[in-house]
Amino acid sequence: MTLPLADILAILPELIVTGAACLILALDPITPASRKEWLAWIGLGALAACIGVTASQMGVKVMAFSDLVIIDPYASFWKLLLYLVSGLTILLSLAYLKEEAMHLAEYYGFLLLSLVGMMVMVSAADLLTIYLGTELMSLSLYVLAGIKRTSGRSLEASAKYFVLGAFSSGILLYGISLLFGITGSTKLPAIAAAIHGRSLDDPTLLLAMILLVVGFGFKIAAVPFHMWTPDVYEGAPTSVTAFMAVASKAASFGAFLRVFLEGLGGLKTNWYGLFLIVCVATLILGNVVAIVQTNIKRMLAYSSIAHAGYALIGVVVAGHATASSEVRGLGLASVMLYLAIYAFMTMGAFAVVALLRKGGLEGEEIEDYTGLAKRQPVAAFLMLVFMVSLAGIPPTAGFIGKFYLFMGAVRAGLTWLAVVALLFAAVSAYYYLRVVMVMYMREPEASVTVLPRLAASPALTIVLACALAGVVFFGLYPDPLVALTQHAILALK
């Protein structure tokens, strides 16, 4: 059997990243511990090559491998975002792993394998292909969550993530099998044609749709499928937490939107209400429970749940059957815009947490930030910017992201939903600005004033500079990102 060259070229980025991951894993045993960080540069080189290939595919739409894979602007957008997040995570990890004395090149190999799974998820046009991508992403993340083998918390996080993740994967697969039984295919266009014009009077179809919602709900950490998030975020190494919080969520939303808008778009009048309930519940629980957290990684975990709720506003708008195609397109574009902006501000916040760990502070309890503005003014200022952006306060990019989501809700006739989201955005300002208050309005304790000033490594400096530039630039001039998301949206029917 021979594979057409066009099919090979369509998945060239996946092949490049897979090759880099295998090369890193092969070189790991024969590379001295002091030189293992150089293997990370293989990954960065592969990502740079992928950016070039994917950018050249931005304007094309091709199907490959008997319509199992689709390359279109939508998939290219998510891939470019995933490359950016993965590159920043590798740079963040260079300093973090050295500080933690974790000389493990396999870390970079599993990170790249997880990225391959994410790339498959966002460019798949078949449910089983999406499932395979999801499993490759998840299995690699289970390993990464527990890669700090000397830490009980890290091992516990990995075990919890694996058990709950396996459970959700089983539910997702069962939903796919039921849908195959009803429609006779796992390809999204065939499913869309088979269920066109049908209602949920078939209980099997209803059950299949609910099981898919549960499976994807776990991956995006939406309520009530969020229970794994705080423990895993707290226990996993900080660089892994940053990767999971941003890349995993972006890839899951990318696949989730394609499945429900392209494959199950004919049932949107039925799943619209379900997503509306999940959206409101996620907004409420994520923001309210984050208030009482004292550990900043747990606070950011509940914050990420809340941000999934904000992104679901765009999903609800995109699935609003009575809204015009223009408004529904705005809803979809606003989800993509919001998650791109979320990547910058969340990566920046976790980079500051990693920076403080490097400076000798534990940096995970909010009390560790007491008086930080006087001891480490640059780190405190960076955290201030990222907290303000996460709270959605102008003129940061976080405000722009929320503005487009709320505008879509209002134009779709869901003004009440925009008001609810606005109220809980005000609630979120309390716990984000509490970190700022602790840094700027409390005196540092005498026992910690003798700590040396922070000196970020060049790699960590690049991460912080990119995150800061993204938050400030897209806050003041969002037009290029807005235009890109509007160009890359799916064709809604």
Side-chain angles (χ1 to χ4, degrees), residues 14-191:
E14 284 86 347
L15 295 177
I16 292 173
V17 178
T18 304
C22 293
L23 183 60
I24 290 172
L25 292 174
L27 292 177
D28 182 21
I30 59 174
T31 305
S34 60
R35 294 175 178 266
K36 287 196 174 182
E37 68 177 34
W38 287 102
L39 297 180
W41 293 96
I42 296 176
L44 290 172
L47 292 176
C50 288
I51 289 173
V53 175
T54 303
S56 69
Q57 295 174 333
M58 194 68 198
V60 304
K61 181 175 181 179
V62 296
M63 304 293 290
F65 295 99
S66 303
D67 297 342
L68 296 177
V69 173
I70 181 170
I71 306 299
D72 58 3
Y74 178 78
S76 297
F77 171 85
W78 290 112
K79 285 183 181 178
L80 289 172
L81 179 61
L82 293 172
Y83 301 152
L84 173 68
V85 174
S86 302
L88 292 178
T89 303
I90 290 175
L91 290 172
L92 172 62
S93 305
L94 281 171
Y96 182 79
L97 296 187
K98 191 174 182 180
E99 183 67 20
E100 296 288 338
M102 294 166 59
H103 304 295
L104 300 167
E106 67 197 66
Y107 171 94
Y108 302 109
F110 282 111
L111 192 142
L112 292 179
L113 288 176
S114 179
L115 171 62
V116 174
M118 296 173 190
M119 294 163 69
V120 171
M121 288 170 67
V122 298
S123 62
D126 177 89
L127 285 175
L128 283 180
T129 309
I130 291 175
Y131 178 76
L132 290 175
T134 305
E135 284 305 283
L136 180 55
M137 173 191 77
S138 300
L139 289 170
S140 303
L141 288 178
Y142 302 151
V143 175
L144 288 173
I147 205 162
K148 193 175 178 181
R149 298 163 193 161
T150 56
S151 168
R153 283 195 314 170
S154 181
L155 296 175
E156 180 185 348
S158 178
K160 284 183 178 176
Y161 195 20
F162 172 73
V163 172
L164 293 173
F167 185 64
S168 74
S169 294
I171 291 175
L172 180 63
L173 191 58
Y174 191 44
I176 292 172
S177 64
L178 286 179
L179 205 53
F180 174 74
I182 298 166
T183 64
S185 177
T186 54
K187 293 180 181 176
L188 297 180
I191 291 172

Side-chain angles (χ1 to χ4, degrees), residues 372-385:
L372 190 69
K374 292 188 177 177
R375 292 178 286 120
Q376 314 289 352
V378 175
F381 174 74
L382 291 170
M383 189 58 113
L384 163 69
V385 173

Side-chain angles (χ1 to χ4, degrees), residues 51 76 131 177 188 216 261 264 291 305 309 317 331 353 386 397 425 464:
I51 289 173
S76 297
Y131 178 76
S177 64
L188 297 180
F216 281 109
L261 293 177
L264 300 176
I291 293 174
I305 294 170
V317 173
V353 175
F386 299 133
L464 288 166

Side-chain angles (χ1 to χ4, degrees), residues 423-489:
L423 287 174
F424 282 97
V427 171
S428 74
Y430 172 80
Y431 57 81
Y432 288 128
L433 296 183
R434 183 179 58 168
V435 178
V436 176
M437 185 272 291
V438 166
M439 292 190 300
Y440 281 88
M441 300 179 70
R442 286 190 188 173
E443 291 296 324
E445 295 178 9
S447 59
V448 297
T449 54
V450 297
L451 287 172
R453 295 183 70 83
L454 297 178
S457 67
L460 192 53
T461 303
I462 292 172
V463 176
L464 288 166
C466 286
L468 181 65
V471 167
V472 174
F473 179 78
F474 292 125
L476 298 174
Y477 186 59
D479 291 3
L481 191 55
V482 172
L484 181 62
T485 56
Q486 290 177 343
H487 169 70
I489 61 171

Side-chain angles (χ1 to χ4, degrees), residues 133-458:
T134 305
E135 284 305 283
L136 180 55
M137 173 191 77
S138 300
L139 289 170
S140 303
L141 288 178
Y142 302 151
V143 175
L144 288 173
I147 205 162
K148 193 175 178 181
R149 298 163 193 161
T150 56
S151 168
R153 283 195 314 170
S154 181
L155 296 175
E156 180 185 348
S158 178
K160 284 183 178 176
Y161 195 20
F162 172 73
V163 172
L164 293 173
F167 185 64
S168 74
S169 294
I171 291 175
L172 180 63
L173 191 58
Y174 191 44
I176 292 172
S177 64
L178 286 179
L179 205 53
F180 174 74
I182 298 166
T183 64
S185 177
T186 54
K187 293 180 181 176
L188 297 180
I191 291 172
I195 64 173
H196 181 68
R198 291 183 62 169
S199 64
L200 289 183
D201 53 352
D202 182 348
T204 311
L205 183 57
L206 174 64
L207 180 60
M209 191 191 74
I210 291 175
L211 292 177
L212 289 180
V213 172
V214 173
F216 281 109
F218 179 89
K219 303 302 180 189
I220 65 173
V223 174
F225 319 110
H226 66 285
M227 67 293 289
W228 60 277
T229 313
D231 289 343
V232 175
Y233 277 31
E234 183 184 7
T238 302
S239 54
V240 176
T241 307
F243 186 63
M244 283 193 295
V246 180
S248 170
K249 195 179 290 291
S252 300
F253 261 103
F256 164 71
L257 285 167
R258 193 189 287 279
V259 168
F260 278 89
L261 293 177
E262 285 197 335
L264 300 176
L267 298 176
K268 56 179 174 290
T269 53
N270 304 102
W271 54 251
Y272 162 79
L274 184 59
F275 285 146
L276 191 58
I277 295 170
V278 172
C279 171
V280 174
T282 306
L283 280 172
I284 294 173
L285 188 138
N287 281 307
V288 171
V289 181
I291 293 174
V292 297
Q293 302 304 313
T294 58
N295 181 290
I296 197 160
K297 288 172 74 175
R298 289 186 75 86
M299 187 270 277
L300 289 172
Y302 280 103
S303 153
S304 84
I305 294 170
H307 285 287
Y310 293 120
L312 281 170
I313 294 174
V315 179
V316 170
V317 173
H320 198 299
T322 59
S324 66
S325 59
E326 180 190 356
V327 173
R328 292 172 55 222
L330 174 63
L332 177 55
S334 64
V335 178
M336 300 164 73
L337 176 72
Y338 192 76
L339 289 172
I341 290 172
Y342 173 75
F344 287 104
M345 49 196 187
T346 302
M347 286 299 299
F350 278 109
V352 174
V353 175
L355 175 65
L356 294 179
R357 182 70 183 88
K358 179 180 172 60
L361 291 169
E362 185 61 31
E364 293 186 6
E365 295 297 325
I366 293 177
E367 288 301 315
D368 292 338
Y369 293 75
T370 301
L372 190 69
K374 292 188 177 177
R375 292 178 286 120
Q376 314 289 352
V378 175
F381 174 74
L382 291 170
M383 189 58 113
L384 163 69
V385 173
F386 299 133
M387 290 293 112
V388 166
S389 185
L390 284 166
I393 297 173
T396 59
F399 168 76
I400 297 296
K402 285 189 172 64
F403 173 77
Y404 275 89
L405 284 170
F406 297 167
M407 182 172 66
V410 171
R411 291 184 62 184
L414 298 169
T415 306
W416 68 269
L417 181 58
V419 171
V420 169
L422 191 60
L423 287 174
F424 282 97
V427 171
S428 74
Y430 172 80
Y431 57 81
Y432 288 128
L433 296 183
R434 183 179 58 168
V435 178
V436 176
M437 185 272 291
V438 166
M439 292 190 300
Y440 281 88
M441 300 179 70
R442 286 190 188 173
E443 291 296 324
E445 295 178 9
S447 59
V448 297
T449 54
V450 297
L451 287 172
R453 295 183 70 83
L454 297 178
S457 67

